Amino acid sequence: MRPRLLAAASGVVAALAFLAAAELAALFLGGAGSPLVAVGGAVIDLAPAGAKDLMVSLFGTGDKVALFVLMGVLMVAISAGAGILERRRPPFGAMVFALGGALSLIAVTTRSGSGMWDGLPSVLGVGAAIGVLRPLVTRLRRWETVAQTPTRTDAARPERRSFIVWTVTAGALALVVGTGSRLGSAAMQRTAAIRRSVRLPAPATAAPAVPAGASLDVPGLTPYVTPNADFYRIDTALRVPSIDPADWSLRIHGAVENEVTLTWDELMALPLEEHMATMSCVSNEVGGDLIGNALWLGYPIRELLARAKPTGDADMVLSRSIDGFTAGTPLDVLQDTGTQAMLAVGMNGQPLPAEHGFPVRMVVPGLFGYVSATKWVTEMEVTRFADAQGYWTPRGWSERGPVKLESRIDTPANGTSVTVGDRVAIAGVAWQPHTGVKAVQVKVGGAEWQDAELAASVSADTWRQWVYRWTATSGDHEVRVRAVSTDGQVQTSVQRPPAPNGATGWDTITISAR
Ligand SMILES: Nc1nc2c(c(=O)[nH]1)N[C@H]1C(S)=C(S)[C@@H](COP(=O)(O)O)O[C@H]1N2
Ligand SMILES: [Mo]
């Protein structure tokens, strides 16, 4: 056996583990914090001008590739040395990795535009490197010890096996994970750049301006329009899909007379409409925050279905995302002229954020997201509820998912203490998209239900803010809220969990006044 060489190999595998863990973490941070990119950038920035000129004259436009190759060679040399050191004098080899990680951390966090989490990949990388190096070297030394004992020659066999299996497995795993993650990050950053360059057309039909009265001036109250950065995100995507609009198309097929294919350029050339709509998740608990309201820009799905001409007894559209997620939406809802079901490309004046479906998603007012709001949508199959199921239906959620009448107390926080005689603004939002809310009532302790003040209604498709101004009386009070819909339905007190088709019950808080 050649212990030095094998120790060097352990070091190199540990370095691969560093890169793999760091790149995987960077992938989850949307491509941010990659040590490979940051260290490369730092080397370019720090290199003396003469060195850069030399690189360019030696390698021409391949200078960046050459830089990475050079860095790779350097890294192999150092990590091999660290492996040898770890075999001789543990834990000095591990310390070399810690030092390398610290340098990477500095490179990453001093890059312009680096964020709070950017250091995480480097830290996790060091953990992975040391976590691989130490057991490998331990196995190597066990093997050495046994091999040096002259009694039985075959005693070294299992120790050798153990070392080789571990080294090869860790190395192969690191290579696969690292390469995959790096490619994924690069694709995400490419898509982010493309998204920044997208200019959406002005709407042919603009949404009316939001009246000032739609927003009540109460601190702690959820804003009427949810900023994109604060919009809740729910999906099954481990990694946000990266789609170049130039490669995107939507195919409408199944039970239709005409199969329709729509490209991004064709969609951009259509007269787009703007509609404000509140979207919520079936998993939202009473009082939960899986709900948001945005101004969507898109094209009516009913127009596309009219081109496709559904046939026979079709009653469902199974929309499919590029990542395989599906939603089953009633065909009549999508065809209804009174329902603004959209193939959306814009959200609050911006192209859709990547995590909210860039470049194209569905938005259907009145239905929970899981049966209607397919992000990264690329396909609509006209079919029947009897023949097909959306992603969540076989997983215990209802086939149909209309949004229920609900209301929420945003402020004050549960358990707040006030002084007797204080004027307390109890405020929140209430919704039943597509139906609309006409009243909100608040009950303090054993008192009668009182009408809250309502913000102006923008449309039946969006939530409404409400406030009830209460003068605090002594004691601990349970405060409840309920909404009344425009069709006269009163929000039910029956407490149901989110599964299978949406939670119900009254949001309740306690306020103490002394
Ligand atoms: N491709 C895809 N689209 C999806 C989902 C998903 O998992 N994958 N989840 C749906 C669910 S359950 C909801 S509530 C909404 C949430 O949309 P948002 O993340 O933009 O708020 O997206 C819907 N569209
Ligand atoms: Mo959802």
mmCIF file of all heavy atoms in Angstrom, residues 234 281-283 369-370, ligand 2:
data_model
loop_
_atom_site.group_PDB
_atom_site.id
_atom_site.type_symbol
_atom_site.label_atom_id
_atom_site.label_comp_id
_atom_site.label_asym_id
_atom_site.label_seq_id
_atom_site.Cartn_x
_atom_site.Cartn_y
_atom_site.Cartn_z
ATOM 1 N N ILE A 234 -46.030 28.670 -1.804
ATOM 2 C CA ILE A 234 -46.297 27.250 -1.549
ATOM 3 C C ILE A 234 -46.126 26.490 -2.855
ATOM 4 O O ILE A 234 -46.767 26.816 -3.859
ATOM 5 C CB ILE A 234 -47.746 27.023 -1.053
ATOM 6 C CG1 ILE A 234 -47.985 27.667 0.312
ATOM 7 C CG2 ILE A 234 -48.054 25.516 -1.001
ATOM 8 C CD1 ILE A 234 -47.375 26.934 1.483
ATOM 9 N N CYS A 281 -54.139 29.701 0.094
ATOM 10 C CA CYS A 281 -53.778 28.284 0.096
ATOM 11 C C CYS A 281 -54.765 27.514 0.952
ATOM 12 O O CYS A 281 -55.136 27.948 2.037
ATOM 13 C CB CYS A 281 -52.367 28.102 0.639
ATOM 14 S SG CYS A 281 -51.829 26.381 0.587
ATOM 15 N N VAL A 282 -55.130 26.346 0.480
ATOM 16 C CA VAL A 282 -56.061 25.491 1.211
ATOM 17 C C VAL A 282 -55.470 25.092 2.572
ATOM 18 O O VAL A 282 -56.198 24.792 3.511
ATOM 19 C CB VAL A 282 -56.414 24.245 0.363
ATOM 20 C CG1 VAL A 282 -55.190 23.335 0.192
ATOM 21 C CG2 VAL A 282 -57.569 23.467 0.941
ATOM 22 N N SER A 283 -54.149 25.122 2.682
ATOM 23 C CA SER A 283 -53.495 24.740 3.944
ATOM 24 C C SER A 283 -53.519 25.854 4.981
ATOM 25 O O SER A 283 -53.041 25.673 6.097
ATOM 26 C CB SER A 283 -52.036 24.361 3.683
ATOM 27 O OG SER A 283 -51.976 23.269 2.811
ATOM 28 N N GLY A 369 -55.342 27.778 -4.423
ATOM 29 C CA GLY A 369 -54.229 27.625 -5.352
ATOM 30 C C GLY A 369 -54.033 26.206 -5.851
ATOM 31 O O GLY A 369 -53.678 25.984 -7.009
ATOM 32 N N TYR A 370 -54.286 25.226 -4.978
ATOM 33 C CA TYR A 370 -53.944 23.841 -5.351
ATOM 34 C C TYR A 370 -54.828 23.290 -6.462
ATOM 35 O O TYR A 370 -54.486 22.282 -7.069
ATOM 36 C CB TYR A 370 -53.994 22.916 -4.120
ATOM 37 C CG TYR A 370 -55.364 22.397 -3.719
ATOM 38 C CD1 TYR A 370 -55.721 21.069 -3.937
ATOM 39 C CD2 TYR A 370 -56.302 23.233 -3.126
ATOM 40 C CE1 TYR A 370 -56.968 20.591 -3.571
ATOM 41 C CE2 TYR A 370 -57.555 22.765 -2.756
ATOM 42 C CZ TYR A 370 -57.884 21.443 -2.982
ATOM 43 O OH TYR A 370 -59.126 20.978 -2.633
HETATM 44 MO MO MO B 2 -51.946 25.709 -1.601
#
